[in-house]
């Protein structure tokens, strides 16, 4: 089965598990599990835009949400790392080789490539979907296309 066929089969499953659930944590958890188990990524999860940065009122930052994989860093500031860059630019960031990405935050030394997709609600980024691979150059326009659909689905039911 091609990667595209796998995504095409996965999307209705994601719709099915999130369609009747309103809790964002439950939905992020199941989306991370479905993607992670289907593709065997190294790390699959979410960072959620928090109300306030730790001890700095009024400044938002990303906080670790539901994920599958090894322990990860818990907080990321806007514009930092791949996740903070995707949040700031409001667009998907594909990194074929994380060692060549200026400012990459290495939560795991085993990670070699990465994709981060923003989850947008009412024109604001509310979270990012972050996926890491142990292989170089894992993610392409097919991943971007379907992961953006997943993010759009989540953004549409985010409350
Ligand atoms: N590499 C990410 C940090 C999160 S971990 O990959 C789970 C980044 O540079 O933002």
């Amino acid at each position: 089965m091609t990667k595209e066929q796998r995504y095409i089969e996965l999307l209705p499953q994601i719709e099915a598990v999130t369609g009747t659930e309103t809790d964002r944590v439950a939905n992020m958890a199941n989306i991370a599990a479905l993607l992670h188990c289907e593709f065997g990524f190294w790390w699959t999860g979410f960072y959620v835009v928090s109300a306030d940065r730790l001890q700095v009122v009024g400044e938002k930052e990303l906080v670790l949400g539901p994920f599958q994989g090894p322990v990860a860093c818990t907080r990321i500031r806007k514009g930092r790392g791949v996740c903070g860059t995707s949040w700031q630019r409001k667009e998907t960031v594909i990194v074929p080789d994380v060692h060549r990405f200026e400012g990459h935050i290495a939560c795991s030394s085993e990670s070699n490539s990465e994709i981060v997709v923003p989850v947008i609600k009412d024109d604001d980024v509310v979270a990012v979907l972050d996926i890491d691979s142990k292989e170089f150059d894992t993610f392409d326009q097919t991943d971007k296309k379907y992961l953006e659909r997943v993010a759009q689905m989540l953004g549409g039911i985010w409350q």
Side-chain angles (χ1 to χ4, degrees), residues 115-133:
I115 186 169
V116 179
V117 181
V119 178
I120 296 171
K121 180 186 169 63
D122 299 335
D123 214 32
D124 284 326
V125 176
V126 291
V128 297
L129 168 60
D130 177 19
I131 305 180
D132 286 35
S133 168

Side-chain angles (χ1 to χ4, degrees), residues 68-132:
Q68 300 265 321
V71 166
C73 55
T74 56
R75 287 173 184 268
I76 299 173
R77 291 173 66 177
K78 200 169 195 173
R80 301 285 173 87
V82 188
C83 292
T85 300
S86 171
W87 176 22
Q88 187 169 52
R89 291 187 192 160
K90 269 190 179 176
E91 64 185 31
T92 297
V93 180
I94 295 174
V95 183
D97 178 352
V98 296
H99 312 287
R100 289 169 176 265
F101 186 93
E102 177 88 26
H104 170 256
I105 300 164
C107 292
S108 159
S109 57
E110 306 243 24
S111 172
N112 283 315
S113 61
E114 183 166 0
I115 186 169
V116 179
V117 181
V119 178
I120 296 171
K121 180 186 169 63
D122 299 335
D123 214 32
D124 284 326
V125 176
V126 291
V128 297
L129 168 60
D130 177 19
I131 305 180
D132 286 35

Side-chain angles (χ1 to χ4, degrees), residues 1 7-8 11-12 21 27 31 35 37 41 43 50 55 61 83 92 96 108 114 132 138 151-152:
M1 221 197 298
Y7 276 115
I8 289 169
L11 284 182
E21 179 52 67
N27 284 333
I31 290 171
L35 288 168
C37 293
F41 296 128
W43 195 94
S50 76
Q55 296 170 341
E61 69 182 344
C83 292
T92 297
S108 159
E114 183 166 0
D132 286 35
T138 296
Q152 202 180 3

Side-chain angles (χ1 to χ4, degrees), residues 137-149:
D137 205 10
T138 296
F139 305 102
D140 57 20
Q141 293 303 312
T142 300
D143 299 280
K144 178 178 185 289
K145 174 178 168 184
Y146 288 100
L147 294 173
E148 284 180 352
R149 286 202 195 164

Side-chain angles (χ1 to χ4, degrees), residues 56-74:
V56 183
V57 176
E59 194 181 323
K60 297 179 177 186
E61 69 182 344
L62 293 171
V63 179
L64 184 63
F67 71 95
Q68 300 265 321
V71 166
C73 55
T74 56

